Amino acid sequence: MQRRQVAAFAAVAGCTLLSNTRVGAAGNGPARSETLQVAGSRLDLQFDDGFSPALQALALLWVQRAASAVAGYLGRFPLPQVEVLVQAAGGAGVQRGTAFPEPVPYVRIRLGRDSTAQHFHDDWILVHEMLHLAVPQVPRAQNWLHEGIATYAEGVARVKSGWIPALQLWGEFHRGMPKGQPQPGDRGLDFTPSWGRTYWGGAQFCLQADVLILQRSGLRLGLRHALQGVLAAGGNYAVAWPVTRILAAADAAVGQTTLVDLHQQLRASSQPMDLESLWQQLGVAPTPRAATGIELRDDAPASAVRRAITA
Ligand SMILES: [Zn+2]
């Protein structure tokens, strides 16, 4: 889903394909399907016609890296087996992604035929879509929880895996979180299905939850541990759960009631989030000197919480 533009960063090496991966050999024509094993899960990739063998090889590394980032964040890949359909598009770059729950959960990606390693490095969409696989289907009116988790955890997972630097993540949060503020006529997260409230209002919910869970656990546990609890309880995109059940399962995993309480507080509230004060606490300070628009300060009162989010 289109959520934002991401700044280009230098490519980072370090992704290794597993031995059972088959890469299409030039001269044989492009392979149409590939299988990856990531953290014990099986990913079946189906490629459209029109991709060169070289581009398919790059795409395999990218899928491997995205799946590893998600598995690193959640302690496992969300499902034991999933299909990734890679459709060809004109131009370059990862252009669109969608996660579908039926008939079995799968991810569909539109990929430009002229994409380069840099385009794969700059992509956030695939990690975002894979994170959807970790959350049960919810009623449409509460899609903010799905999109919020995918929007928030995508960047955190990529920092944790070494894909992007923490400075980039916090710069993106600093620019993005204001888009989740209530606008005139807002009736709270559960009753305001606008783009801003769905993606960034949901991400605000996750950021607040992560900070609170970390503070209440002495920095031992965070939102990712809560989300791991949902997976452990059998919650993923193959099933449909009420939001209250997802949040209760997540809370149980960290021995708190943070998520259920926060939902009660925000579900019908049009109160804006006090972002300025949170940035000050976390040590995310605006500066015109940096390309990211921010600098990270370790002398802020809750800078240890900020560091724990991506540690
Ligand atoms: Zn999404």
Side-chain angles (χ1 to χ4, degrees), residues 1 128-129 132 147 150 199:
M1 294 295 177
H128 175 107
E129 300 306 335
H132 279 307
E147 295 300 349
Y199 284 78

Side-chain angles (χ1 to χ4, degrees), residues 58-258:
L58 285 175
L60 275 172
L61 288 167
W62 160 68
V63 174
Q64 168 90 22
R65 173 183 249 192
S68 299
V70 170
Y73 184 79
L74 294 170
R76 62 195 250 202
F77 194 76
L79 294 162
Q81 189 171 349
V82 70
E83 271 193 34
V84 179
L85 305 182
V86 186
Q87 294 183 328
V94 182
Q95 299 174 4
R96 189 177 178 80
T98 311
F100 296 90
E102 288 165 345
V104 290
Y106 69 100
V107 171
R108 191 181 68 196
I109 292 282
R110 285 181 66 78
L111 174 65
R113 289 186 196 85
D114 301 328
S115 300
T116 65
Q118 186 66 50
H119 291 108
F120 290 117
H121 180 73
D122 293 344
D123 173 59
W124 56 269
I125 292 176
L126 184 55
V127 172
H128 175 107
E129 300 306 335
M130 286 178 170
L131 284 161
H132 279 307
L133 303 176
V135 185
Q137 301 161 50
V138 297
R140 183 179 285 269
Q142 290 166 310
N143 254 343
W144 63 265
L145 181 64
H146 241 280
E147 295 300 349
I149 290 171
T151 299
Y152 177 77
E154 165 262 307
V156 177
R158 289 200 301 143
V159 174
K160 286 177 69 66
S161 71
W163 188 332
I164 59 170
L167 187 65
Q168 181 182 340
L169 170 74
W170 290 107
E172 287 169 2
F173 279 175
H174 192 262
R175 280 193 303 279
M177 291 293 172
K179 299 174 192 164
Q181 296 289 36
Q183 300 300 308
D186 189 278
R187 297 190 299 132
L189 285 175
D190 275 359
F191 305 99
T192 314
S194 64
W195 177 87
R197 290 292 265 161
T198 300
Y199 284 78
W200 287 103
Q204 285 184 350
F205 177 91
C206 291
L207 173 58
Q208 291 176 88
D210 211 357
V211 167
L212 287 169
I213 294 168
L214 280 159
Q215 286 175 330
R216 290 168 182 171
S217 68
L219 305 186
R220 283 186 312 108
L221 301 168
L223 179 65
R224 71 191 193 94
H225 300 99
L227 296 174
Q228 288 172 15
V230 177
L231 281 178
N236 58 51
Y237 208 26
V239 298
W241 284 10
V243 159
T244 47
R245 180 175 174 194
I246 298 171
L247 298 178
D251 272 339
V254 293
Q256 301 183 12
T257 57
T258 298

